Amino acid sequence: MMKATTIITAALLAIGNCNALSTPSPPMPTLIPGEVNAKLSYAKSSFPIVADDLLNRAKEVLSPQIEIGTKDDGKCLADDFEFVAAVVGPIGKQEYLDALGSFKLTDSFDIEQNFFGFTVDPLQTNRVWFFSRQVAKHIAPFMGAAPTDKELRLPPQLLHMDFNDDGLVKEFGFYTVDRRQGNTGGLGGAFGYFYGVGKPLPIRECQPYKPSFRFRMLNMLGSLGKKLSKKKE
């Protein structure tokens, strides 16, 4: 049988834990040092499309009915539209549409875009940023590769769209933000699909990242210098 003091101690501890859980945490500051006041920036913006409406417009352009110009004959794209990515572009409107028309990923892959994190840039209020974590199953022939039902997981990508005053897309682009994730060698966009099915293009930009010889030598010299300095100590 438990001693009375043990029971009382356990009860007091339980009450103390409950009180600790019920004690509200101190309020977090609205803005941390260095953070942009987005609401204030939006309010001061001279761009005619307000932030919430621009987010809705971006999602409309991404919809299956439009797909950034590939399903609406480019009607959502401005005449001066440019596509730009890490190593491709800038290329103009017609070249962009022709390039995507030459191979259609959705014919060969069942793709989940997994978009998230939509936000209007408070320092460039005609730009919408968002992320994608694409997952795709290879279901039909692609660039000579037979379908295998292999699941491709592309690395996280950060995308952006710039709009003009009429809500047309002026610029679209994306960049890989974590090359260590996924199974396409850290490659995003079409390059990731080529690599994922075993058909990488024979150029350096379409290969997984590899440090240059000079960079490797600099790292080696840096490591050697650290070892020598430790021995002197």
Side-chain angles (χ1 to χ4, degrees):
M1 185 173 181
M2 293 181 66
K3 295 182 180 180
T5 53
T6 303
I7 297 174
I8 293 171
T9 301
L12 289 173
L13 287 173
I15 293 170
N17 288 336
C18 289
N19 288 337
L21 291 172
S22 62
T23 302
S25 301
M28 291 292 291
T30 304
L31 295 173
I32 62 172
E35 183 180 358
V36 176
N37 188 329
K39 289 184 179 180
L40 183 61
S41 295
Y42 298 154
K44 290 182 176 180
S45 173
S46 60
F47 187 62
I49 306 175
V50 299
D52 287 344
D53 290 345
L54 195 65
L55 291 176
N56 289 333
R57 175 56 177 162
K59 293 177 181 182
E60 180 183 20
V61 170
L62 290 168
S63 70
Q65 293 74 31
I66 298 178
E67 288 190 358
I68 321 176
T70 60
K71 294 293 181 67
D72 69 341
D73 297 322
K75 293 178 182 177
C76 69
L77 309 178
D79 290 338
D80 59 348
F81 166 85
E82 287 184 326
F83 170 80
V84 58
V87 297
V88 176
I91 61 176
K93 178 178 179 177
Q94 194 56 53
E95 188 177 355
Y96 162 80
L97 293 173
D98 290 344
L100 292 182
S102 64
F103 62 91
K104 297 181 179 179
L105 293 175
T106 52
D107 288 348
S108 302
F109 299 91
D110 182 10
I111 302 174
E112 293 181 25
Q113 293 288 354
N114 295 322
F115 294 128
F116 66 98
F118 288 83
T119 186
V120 173
D121 190 325
L123 302 183
Q124 185 184 336
T125 52
N126 72 323
R127 171 170 289 199
V128 174
W129 294 99
F130 54 101
F131 291 87
S132 171
R133 300 200 64 155
Q134 288 184 13
V135 176
K137 181 179 287 189
H138 188 194
I139 58 173
F142 177 70
M143 305 301 287
T148 61
D149 280 341
K150 177 182 178 180
E151 183 178 85
L152 304 184
R153 290 177 285 106
L154 276 68
Q157 298 174 95
L158 177 61
L159 304 92
H160 73 272
M161 282 193 282
D162 296 352
F163 293 85
N164 65 16
D165 291 1
D166 297 319
L168 298 177
V169 183
K170 287 186 60 178
E171 181 177 304
F172 168 61
F174 61 88
Y175 305 86
T176 296
V177 294
D178 189 348
R179 58 184 169 83
R180 298 177 64 188
Q181 298 203 19
N183 61 358
T184 60
L187 300 169
F191 293 172
Y193 287 86
F194 291 136
Y195 183 86
V197 299
K199 297 287 184 178
L201 299 180
I203 55 176
R204 185 174 182 177
E205 289 79 5
C206 293
Q207 306 294 327
Y209 170 74
K210 180 180 179 181
S212 67
F213 174 76
R214 288 184 179 181
F215 190 47
R216 295 198 303 272
M217 290 299 296
L218 284 172
N219 284 334
M220 186 179 71
L221 291 173
S223 298
L224 181 61
K226 287 180 180 179
K227 289 180 180 178
L228 290 175
S229 63
K230 286 181 179 180
K231 287 183 178 180
K232 289 180 180 180
E233 293 175 359

